[in-house]
Amino acid sequence: IPQQPKYTPEGNLIDAGKATSWYGYGFDQFKANAGVWIGMVVVLFVIMLVLNIIPGIGSFIFNLLMPAFFGGLMLACQAHRESKPVTFEFLFAGFKDKFGALALLGLIWMIGVFVVSIVAGFFAVAVFGGAIATGAAFGSAGLMGLGFSALLGFVVLAMLIAIPLAMAIWFAPALVVFHNVQPIDALILSLKASLKNWAAFLLFFVLYIVFAILASIPLGLGWLVLGPVLIGAIYAAYRDIFLS
């Protein structure tokens, strides 16, 4: 009987170069069940579009439910690894016994995004307000320069604050569905493990930016492939970091 991998809550320290193999795993997984994965991505996109039509609360509802969808997709990745059928029903598997914990993850994620937006927005307003106040001294060219600086500062600050937020949510759904970790604990463990493997996280993110640009060029159709590949890559990263 093959020995089952052991769950390591503190996370393993892995080689940064492993990030490239995660995308390779994700692509191999996608190829094995391409039709099902494309179908799940399309339906998820349609659900997002429909919910976003609802004024005020549509986007809130989708973001609240996103970890539940993601938890189900993690279970689909597990099924593939165990040579079990990957079926469309996995898209909604996170709405079963772990839905409460996954929905709470979504709520915490949304609060985090809101805080990031507010903090970065206040910074931009403060800098841009200073630009307006000193515009007479610098002239219109100086005002435009300071305005650009404010915008750049907003983007950089938002990214700096958002990176720990992304690290916290990265593995949280997988930890909830596979190890019954409570939402707050899952976010903390994901953040700690990601910080421990910051180089791999950085390479993963840089590759994601490159792939996202390429996927968006042909009318965004590349996302039908990149979406499933990204899900498989995150699952592969979870296994390397949290199982030994």
Side-chain angles (χ1 to χ4, degrees):
I1 299 173
Q3 187 176 4
Q4 292 298 313
K6 181 184 177 184
Y7 167 53
T8 310
E10 66 274 13
N12 306 306
L13 179 62
I14 53 145
D15 179 60
K18 290 282 285 184
T20 57
S21 69
W22 296 338
Y23 281 103
Y25 178 90
F27 186 67
D28 289 340
Q29 176 182 269
F30 166 74
K31 285 192 301 181
N33 294 280
V36 175
W37 279 108
I38 289 174
M40 289 193 289
V41 168
V42 168
V43 170
L44 190 57
F45 181 69
V46 170
I47 291 172
M48 180 184 72
L49 287 180
V50 171
L51 286 175
N52 281 327
I53 293 172
I54 305 172
I57 62 168
S59 179
F60 173 85
I61 294 172
F62 180 76
N63 284 292
L64 187 70
L65 299 178
M66 196 60 203
F69 286 118
F70 205 83
L73 296 173
M74 289 290 100
L75 291 168
C77 294
Q78 183 90 315
H80 168 74
R81 184 169 185 86
E82 295 174 351
S83 299
K84 296 176 181 176
V86 177
T87 60
F88 185 82
E89 287 74 19
F90 276 110
L91 180 61
F92 302 100
F95 289 81
K96 296 177 182 177
D97 58 333
K98 302 284 178 26
F99 175 69
L102 292 167
L104 184 55
L105 274 183
L107 182 61
I108 297 169
W109 163 256
M110 289 168 57
I111 292 171
V113 171
F114 179 75
V115 170
V116 168
S117 301
I118 292 296
V119 171
F122 271 129
F123 171 82
V125 168
V127 174
F128 193 66
I132 294 174
T134 56
F138 287 100
S140 59
L143 179 59
M144 288 178 63
L146 287 171
F148 176 76
S149 298
L151 177 62
L152 184 62
F154 169 80
V155 172
V156 171
L157 184 64
M159 286 186 64
L160 287 175
I161 304 174
I163 287 172
L165 194 61
M167 287 179 165
I169 200 70
W170 200 17
F171 300 119
L175 294 174
V176 169
V177 296
F178 294 135
H179 306 290
N180 295 309
V181 181
Q182 293 302 305
I184 298 293
D185 294 333
L187 291 163
I188 293 171
L189 290 176
S190 178
L191 175 61
K192 286 182 176 179
S194 299
L195 288 171
K196 179 186 285 188
N197 292 285
W198 65 269
F201 183 92
L202 180 62
L203 179 56
F204 186 91
F205 182 70
V206 169
L207 289 172
Y208 166 74
I209 295 295
V210 174
F211 294 147
I213 292 171
L214 294 174
S216 301
I217 291 172
L219 302 174
L221 294 176
W223 282 96
L224 294 176
V225 176
L226 181 57
V229 169
L230 188 63
I231 292 161
I234 292 173
Y235 173 76
Y238 145 75
R239 288 191 62 88
D240 276 348
I241 291 176
F242 284 99
L243 300 182
S244 60

